[in-house]
Amino acid sequence: MKSRAKKIMTPLIKALFALGIIYWLIKSDKLDFSSLKSLLNPVVFISCISLVAMNLFIVSERWRILLSSQNIKALSWPTFKLTLIGNFFNFAMPGGVGGDVVKAFYFAKDHPNSRVVALTSVLMDRVLGLFAMVLMAFIVMLVDIEHILKTPSLFTLFIFISSLALGFVLSLALVFSEFIYQKNWIRKIISPLPLKNKLLKVYDSLHLYGQSKKKLTWVLLLSLVAQSSSVVFLALVGKAAGFDVSIWTYFLVAPLGFMATAIPISPAGVGVGQAAFYFLFNLYLQKDSNIGPTVITAFQIMTFFVSTAGAVFYLRRKDRVTSQE
């Protein structure tokens, strides 16, 4: 009974949290929905839909390459459908399930002998996607280092991003290192922990991804391309809405903002994204502007629109899980 109540309350609390942030942004004139009228322009609308669809397809291909590195034969179209299903669940059931879990669950059902790979591939996909966001932000800040050094708050952010990038590099190096794997150092750390057998299986599977350096390179490149398509989307909407902002500003703010939306405290990052983009744009521009909430709201609307195809694919599955199961 408690478990069922928790399943209901968790997404409800997250939804209320997101609505609360949106309400605050609207009441304080930080989010003006009238700015989104530009999306009704046919050229802007079609361009935005195309960029979101391309972004999701690239993300799907990134996952497929990770699966192929584990000798799992996954085709582009079925993988893309699972990606859309997972993305839809990010909006529909953000609390108890989550899109990544749904995606992994149905992949495991389609490939019964690959349950561990299904889990670790989704985990590695998310980690490398976040790493690409940090890497892009770090590179753009280096390019604009003169501006960064002149602004104390941005320099503090640069130190944080640099530390985060270094942390990702070291963590991935530890997991992929053949020397450390052969010495069993990480195994010795995991052995005293609860669920050690499952954790060891996950570690073994994650380590295998490091055996295919070429495919890992492709995954990172695809992540950067996917991020770039999102940045182009934001810049397109910003320009259509009448905001005069340099493309470099979008390239810096977008990865950091999307990292905030990845934190699972609201449905698909709604609310959290608006607050994060508002803060980051204003921090970088050094002035008050509602460009951040405007462009991320447009992105979320279009992503939801494209992700509804995932609901269709989910309903067509004969093995779909209902809330009663």
Side-chain angles (χ1 to χ4, degrees):
M1 192 69 179
K2 287 183 179 180
S3 178
R4 184 175 179 82
K6 185 178 179 181
K7 286 182 179 180
I8 296 172
M9 289 303 297
T10 300
L12 179 61
I13 291 171
K14 291 185 178 185
L16 290 174
F17 176 71
L19 289 172
I21 296 178
I22 295 294
Y23 176 77
W24 170 71
L25 289 167
I26 294 172
K27 291 294 289 184
S28 56
D29 294 324
K30 294 176 175 60
L31 174 58
D32 182 9
F33 280 103
S34 63
S35 301
L36 297 174
K37 289 180 181 179
S38 59
L39 292 177
L40 299 177
N41 180 300
V43 175
V44 175
F45 182 84
I46 292 173
S47 299
C48 287
I49 288 293
S50 300
L51 284 167
V52 170
M54 181 178 74
N55 177 280
L56 291 175
F57 181 73
I58 293 171
V59 168
S60 173
E61 284 296 287
R62 181 181 73 191
W63 181 39
R64 188 183 66 79
I65 290 173
L66 283 172
L67 290 167
S68 70
S69 72
Q70 303 295 293
N71 297 317
I72 303 296
K73 187 177 181 181
L75 301 177
S76 292
W77 178 237
T79 306
F80 185 46
K81 287 196 293 184
L82 286 177
T83 298
L84 288 174
I85 290 173
N87 222 59
F88 171 74
F89 272 89
N90 279 333
F91 288 94
M93 294 180 66
V97 184
D100 285 344
V101 176
V102 173
K103 189 167 69 172
F105 174 78
Y106 280 112
F107 183 84
K109 294 204 79 170
D110 294 339
H111 303 80
N113 297 322
S114 308
R115 294 181 184 274
V116 174
V117 173
L119 173 64
T120 57
S121 65
V122 168
L123 176 61
M124 184 57 68
D125 181 65
R126 175 57 66 95
V127 168
L128 292 176
L130 288 172
F131 178 45
M133 292 180 190
V134 173
L135 190 60
M136 178 176 283
F138 176 71
I139 292 171
V140 174
M141 291 185 103
L142 280 181
V143 172
D144 200 22
I145 193 65
E146 192 173 325
H147 178 206
I148 301 296
L149 293 176
K150 290 179 181 178
T151 312
S153 54
L154 287 176
F155 181 68
T156 301
L157 185 61
F158 175 68
I159 296 299
F160 172 73
I161 293 300
S162 301
S163 302
L164 205 55
L166 181 61
F168 266 107
V169 171
L170 292 177
S171 298
L172 290 173
L174 285 172
V175 172
F176 295 152
S177 171
E178 189 63 32
F179 177 78
I180 292 175
Y181 186 78
Q182 293 297 332
K183 291 292 184 179
N184 290 323
W185 289 345
I186 293 181
R187 285 177 169 276
K188 290 174 183 177
I189 295 173
I190 293 175
S191 294
L193 299 176
L195 303 174
K196 65 176 182 179
N197 290 332
K198 289 185 177 180
L199 290 173
L200 287 171
K201 284 183 179 179
V202 170
Y203 169 59
D204 288 338
S205 185
L206 290 176
H207 174 74
L208 287 174
Y209 289 102
Q211 306 301 304
S212 182
K213 302 293 190 299
K214 185 177 180 180
K215 289 185 177 180
L216 276 179
T217 302
W218 271 110
V219 167
L220 276 176
L221 287 174
L222 285 177
S223 297
L224 292 172
V225 172
Q227 281 299 306
S228 298
S229 69
S230 298
V231 172
V232 171
F233 176 102
L234 299 177
L236 175 64
V237 171
K239 185 176 181 179
F243 295 102
D244 184 20
V245 177
S246 164
I247 187 67
W248 287 109
T249 303
Y250 289 101
F251 267 101
L252 172 68
V253 171
L256 300 176
F258 284 125
M259 284 171 62
T261 64
I263 302 171
I265 56 177
S266 70
V270 175
V272 174
Q274 278 72 10
F277 272 78
Y278 172 77
F279 169 77
L280 289 166
F281 266 105
N282 291 352
L283 177 66
Y284 198 75
L285 296 173
Q286 294 293 295
K287 65 178 182 180
D288 192 36
S289 170
N290 62 358
I291 180 176
T294 299
V295 295
I296 188 57
T297 298
F299 185 80
Q300 289 169 343
I301 290 172
M302 288 300 186
T303 302
F304 175 75
F305 184 81
V306 174
S307 298
T308 53
V312 176
F313 296 135
Y314 169 72
L315 292 172
R316 292 180 64 182
R317 289 189 68 105
K318 295 180 181 179
D319 58 350
R320 66 179 183 272
V321 177
T322 64
S323 58
Q324 286 78 30
E325 291 182 307

